Amino acid sequence: DGMNVLFIVVDDLRPVLGCYGDKLVKSPNIDQLASQSMVFSNAYAQQAVCAPSRVSFLTGRRPDTTRLYDFYSYWRVHAGNYSTLPQYFKENGYVTLSVGKVFHPGVSSNYSDDYPYSWSIPPFHPSAEKHENDKTCRGKDGKLYANLVCPVNVTEMPGGTLPDIQSTEEAIRLLNIMKTSRQKFFLAVGYHKPHIPLRYPQEFLKLYPLENITLAPDPWVPKKLPPVAYNPWMDIRQRDDVEALNVSFPYGPLPEDFQRQIRQSYYAAVSYLDVQVGLLLNALDNVGLSNNTIVVFTADHGWSLGEHGEWAKYSNFDVATRVPLMFYVPGMTTSPVSQGAKVFPYLDPFSHVGGSAPQGQSKKVVELVSLFPTLADLAGLQVPPVCPETSFGVELCTEGPSLVHYFNVSEGKVQEGKGGCDNTARCFNEEPAAFSQYPRPADTPQWNSDKPKLKDIRIMGYSMRTIDYRYTLWVHFDPNNFSADFEDVHAGELYMMENDPNQDYNIYNNTSHGWFFKKLLD
């Protein structure tokens, strides 16, 4: 009880991390955090795009309840006056602080990152953020471009810095203030990279020689993929370096050498992120707060690195919806930590060798909508009630259960929680499922298929992931009354994980639609 919370959320980070079994990446600081944490290896976002995902996990409600599927409405006005995770901590006596990209900026958080409801002081945004899409990438000809692949010399950047570096500095400054103030705090730190453009300090390229970079295991568009499920990655097509390649619309493909460069830069951006996380956690040690601060690390969604011929989020595949999720809880995921102990010494990715295994790992399928109740539970606050079926008028409730029953750590091994499969977790034969969804404007890929505005949505793809399968239905959707018609199915997808872990062979149409499908449809 009375623990602080450090909540780290990363933009577009799929679990390419050593602690998730990736052999290529150098992520020693995040791996070190994992070695002291409860790590969920099957955690999923509720929609694979920034604003809807963030509003969903920060309110603990699904996109059908926030009614945010794009970037252009504020839930308190448009759906219901739902309490947020930081607001709940603030109302329970915490100082709540936001640094970097936590809420998605703009209309969807009322142009204020939901201040003053969610935060004790106005949120901090790095000044270098405004240059993210400027022409700051030096081309082979020496000229500056707005590229997708953008390793830079930081000293040449406007202000001599990058947004995530500034966010780390500000978060460390706030930790030093909180150390002396003796008040409990909830500090949220939102990192931009590896979100596009892949703009990061150029020295990180050295960690990933191009000859070590492979293509995606399935860099083609699957034969039986319904066209409605595909998204044409418009945002990267608009970058100068991709535009110059004159790639055909909507399916591409990108030239293989450029595919390797994107993958190389994504990995380099992850190592750059790892350094920021390492500096932040080391500062937590230095101010003597590692023994009474819960640390959560997650992302708003993933990003497809060429799988299924896609380069983006905007889909229901695992590569877009699966995220890292870990909880460091002193005395619970680790043995009790003494005051001033060094839990997170900074590790240099350029010299550090060897990974560290997660302290505890759960393979249970979980959702980001469970973040709110889980953190309340871990901090000893009253867990908000589970939402009723329709909850537009309910200010405080969550649509996901707390995950704390999976934390039962004994002798370093994690016992899979037996409980937790009541009606709230919507269980199917006691098997938890994660639900994600994605809207489309049409049955075939078009210019706005990635990010349709609410008024243009005609189809909603509802997707259900269990340990054994991913099942997706693309159904008619009416944006005027937010209703999905499951009688009007435009397309379906079914992938069996055991023999198709990459979700390349859709068997929806060659499976007899017997009791199994009836059960799934319910």
Side-chain angles (χ1 to χ4, degrees):
D1 287 6
M3 290 222 195
N4 305 306
V5 177
L6 173 60
F7 180 80
I8 304 170
V9 57
V10 184
D11 229 343
D12 293 31
L13 176 68
R14 59 191 254 172
V16 292
L17 298 165
C19 51
Y20 278 82
D22 191 288
K23 299 284 185 277
L24 182 64
V25 76
K26 305 267 193 294
S27 55
N29 294 287
I30 297 167
D31 296 347
Q32 175 172 253
L33 173 64
S35 74
Q36 308 285 322
S37 296
M38 180 68 197
V39 175
F40 288 90
S41 56
N42 276 302
Y44 296 88
Q46 274 48 79
Q47 191 181 323
V49 66
C50 306
S53 175
R54 288 163 187 264
V55 169
S56 171
F57 69 68
L58 288 165
T59 59
R61 317 283 186 115
R62 300 180 189 282
D64 280 351
T65 308
T66 67
R67 292 184 163 172
L68 181 69
Y69 314 108
D70 59 15
F71 298 81
Y72 307 107
S73 67
Y74 179 42
W75 77 91
R76 291 187 194 274
V77 174
H78 178 72
N81 187 27
Y82 313 141
S83 295
T84 69
L85 165 65
Q87 177 183 357
Y88 191 61
F89 275 80
K90 183 171 168 242
E91 288 167 356
N92 277 281
Y94 282 70
V95 176
T96 56
L97 307 160
S98 174
V99 171
K101 185 175 173 183
V102 180
F103 278 98
H104 191 87
V107 186
S108 63
S109 57
N110 204 30
Y111 298 102
S112 65
D113 294 355
D114 198 45
Y115 174 80
Y117 297 100
S118 287
W119 311 109
S120 304
I121 61 172
F124 169 87
H125 284 281
S127 59
E129 208 171 89
K130 60 179 172 289
H131 304 294
E132 262 302 272
N133 294 309
D134 293 358
K135 298 191 175 208
T136 55
C137 323
R138 207 164 283 292
K140 294 211 168 46
D141 57 6
K143 294 201 184 98
L144 291 175
Y145 294 93
N147 287 343
L148 169 62
V149 173
C150 186
V152 297
N153 177 343
V154 177
T155 59
E156 289 176 7
M157 291 300 101
T161 188
L162 291 171
D164 287 342
I165 296 171
Q166 290 184 301
S167 292
T168 303
E169 290 165 352
E170 174 66 8
I172 291 172
R173 189 185 76 84
L174 290 170
L175 284 176
N176 278 296
I177 292 171
M178 294 318 292
K179 167 183 75 171
T180 52
S181 86
R182 292 271 160 99
Q183 280 177 293
K184 289 186 299 191
F185 64 84
F186 178 104
L187 169 60
V189 182
Y191 285 116
H192 275 269
K193 293 304 126 191
H195 191 288
I196 67 166
L198 298 169
R199 190 167 80 109
Y200 56 86
Q202 60 198 17
E203 57 270 23
F204 287 94
L205 271 179
K206 292 195 197 92
L207 293 171
Y208 304 102
L210 207 50
E211 58 270 25
N212 295 356
I213 306 291
T214 58
L215 298 177
D218 51 348
W220 58 84
V221 180
K223 280 194 185 61
K224 293 188 175 175
L225 183 71
V228 69
Y230 187 83
N231 63 280
W233 30 280
M234 289 299 289
D235 49 4
I236 80 158
R237 290 169 190 271
Q238 288 150 10
R239 315 295 311 178
D240 292 345
D241 48 354
V242 180
E243 203 174 355
L245 297 169
N246 220 352
V247 183
S248 73
F249 182 89
Y251 294 110
L254 287 171
E256 290 194 355
D257 60 331
F258 194 72
Q259 293 192 33
R260 284 197 172 85
Q261 285 178 43
I262 298 176
R263 289 170 66 90
Q264 174 191 39
S265 272
Y266 187 91
Y267 275 86
V270 170
S271 291
Y272 160 59
L273 161 77
D274 183 76
V275 165
Q276 303 311 312
V277 172
L279 294 169
L280 177 60
L281 292 174
N282 185 237
L284 192 69
D285 269 356
N286 292 342
V287 295
L289 294 172
S290 302
N291 66 321
N292 63 348
T293 302
I294 295 164
V295 181
V296 195
F297 179 89
T298 191
D300 55 357
H301 45 71
W303 208 76
S304 184
L305 287 165
E307 293 86 1
H308 314 113
E310 298 191 318
W311 300 91
K313 44 236 183 187
Y314 318 129
S315 82
N316 282 319
F317 286 120
D318 278 21
V319 284
T321 54
R322 185 168 164 247
V323 293
L325 178 63
M326 60 188 82
F327 297 86
Y328 160 80
V329 190
M332 185 178 192
T333 62
T334 59
S335 42
V337 181
S338 58
Q339 177 83 40
K342 292 281 188 233
V343 185
F344 303 117
Y346 173 74
L347 303 174
D348 181 348
F350 292 91
S351 55
H352 183 77
V353 190
S356 33
Q359 167 66 28
Q361 197 158 22
S362 174
K363 290 189 166 58
K364 284 279 191 258
V365 171
V366 300
E367 306 173 290
L368 287 188
V369 85
S370 284
L371 265 174
F372 187 163
T374 304
L375 273 176
D377 205 348
L378 290 171
L381 304 179
Q382 195 170 353
V383 180
V386 171
C387 293
E389 183 93 358
T390 313
S391 63
F392 296 106
V394 185
E395 288 191 14
L396 180 67
C397 68
T398 68
E399 291 187 59
S402 165
L403 305 176
V404 172
H405 58 273
Y406 293 143
F407 279 61
N408 183 13
V409 179
S410 60
E411 304 150 32
K413 290 276 185 288
V414 176
Q415 303 302 312
E416 290 292 4
K418 292 283 182 288
C421 227
D422 50 17
N423 294 336
T424 61
R426 299 210 209 162
C427 288
F428 173 41
N429 293 347
E430 297 300 297
E431 183 62 73
F435 293 88
S436 303
Q437 63 193 92
Y438 211 86
R440 293 280 186 245
D443 284 299
T444 51
Q446 59 187 46
W447 68 275
N448 63 343
S449 290
D450 295 343
K451 296 186 277 194
K453 290 187 169 169
L454 175 62
K455 65 176 173 47
D456 297 323
I457 297 172
R458 295 293 174 271
I459 302 156
M460 189 69 75
Y462 288 94
S463 195
M464 173 175 167
R465 174 70 155 84
T466 68
I467 268 302
D468 299 317
Y469 57 83
R470 179 175 283 288
Y471 173 65
T472 305
L473 282 181
W474 297 90
V475 301
H476 177 76
F477 185 84
D478 182 345
N480 298 308
N481 59 8
F482 304 93
S483 66
D485 180 4
F486 280 84
E487 304 289 299
D488 183 359
V489 176
H490 288 231
E493 297 170 82
L494 178 62
Y495 305 100
M496 303 312 287
M497 300 311 299
E498 189 177 14
N499 48 15
D500 184 19
N502 298 331
Q503 301 168 359
D504 295 321
Y505 303 100
N506 176 16
I507 61 168
Y508 179 82
N509 286 334
N510 49 359
T511 312
S512 67
H513 288 230
W515 67 269
F516 179 68
F517 273 90
K518 174 82 183 80
K519 184 90 180 172
L520 289 181
L521 187 61
D522 290 346

